[in-house]
Amino acid sequence: MAVAVPKSRTAPAPRPSRTTAPPRPRKPARKPTRTRAVPAPAKAPTRRAPARKPATRRAPAAPKLAVVAGRTAVAVRGLPDSSLVVRMTQGRLWIGVLGVLLVGIVALNVATLSFATAAGKIDQQITALEKENSMLETREAERFGTARIRGEASQLGLAMPTVEEPRLIEYKPGDAATAAARLAAAGG
């Protein structure tokens, strides 16, 4: 037994799109009105204000976050109604898209882990270089330390100067001639 389907149910009514608004009715254009020019009454000369500098124009400000978010929301709101998304979700293409997205997520995780491994290796190298640097600084301190230098100086017959307060040396006018004669005798 066949059931008759009413004609109103045979074709579904098209859904209204979310991205377009219904057209607004236009207002009729106004006719310009004519006015008579009336001469202005004569005025006494007035004192003018001094001229001002013209205002500098500023560059337009960057769009605010709310405006950008609003535009993005409008663009995303219409995405589910687009024919591409509707065809894709009704067929087997959707499985492929999800597979590609999952492969992308796994690839990102692998890249993150490889970067973490490289960072760990670099940290180990930094630690090893810091240890070597401190060891070399210790060797340098031993080689050029004051205790070693004092020991070698005493072996050569040198002595450390005594700790005295500095004092001024007084000289006589004939000391310069005596020093010059000594230098000449030494061959200098």
Side-chain angles (χ1 to χ4, degrees):
M1 179 156 96
V3 178
V5 178
K7 287 187 178 183
S8 63
R9 293 203 176 189
T10 57
R15 288 195 307 179
S17 175
R18 293 186 195 176
T19 58
T20 59
R24 294 183 183 176
R26 292 191 171 194
K27 295 181 181 178
R30 288 186 180 178
K31 286 187 176 181
T33 58
R34 289 185 145 185
T35 57
R36 265 181 63 199
V38 178
K43 292 185 180 179
T46 58
R47 188 173 169 204
R48 297 178 114 192
R52 294 183 181 174
K53 289 182 181 179
T56 58
R57 295 186 73 191
R58 293 184 181 179
K64 305 251 187 260
L65 180 63
V67 173
V68 172
R71 289 180 184 167
T72 305
V74 168
V76 172
R77 190 181 325 147
L79 191 61
D81 291 336
S82 70
S83 62
L84 175 68
V85 173
V86 170
R87 282 186 306 193
M88 184 175 60
T89 55
Q90 290 177 352
R92 291 184 182 176
L93 183 63
W94 187 241
I95 296 170
V97 169
L98 288 177
V100 168
L101 291 174
L102 288 174
V103 167
I105 290 171
V106 170
L108 283 175
N109 285 337
V110 168
T112 304
L113 288 174
S114 67
F115 287 140
T117 304
K121 288 179 183 177
I122 290 171
D123 284 341
Q124 287 176 350
Q125 289 175 349
I126 288 172
T127 305
L129 289 173
E130 285 175 348
K131 286 180 182 178
E132 185 179 356
N133 193 17
S134 67
M135 183 181 66
L136 291 173
E137 286 174 352
T138 304
R139 284 184 187 171
E140 182 183 15
E142 289 174 0
R143 181 174 288 166
F144 300 111
T146 56
R148 181 178 167 272
I149 292 173
R150 282 183 186 168
E152 288 183 10
S154 65
Q155 289 174 357
L156 294 172
L158 301 174
M160 287 290 291
T162 59
V163 181
E164 292 182 10
E165 284 194 36
R167 57 187 168 97
L168 294 175
I169 299 174
E170 295 179 11
Y171 68 95
K172 298 176 191 146
D175 288 344
T178 306
R182 288 181 183 166
L183 285 172

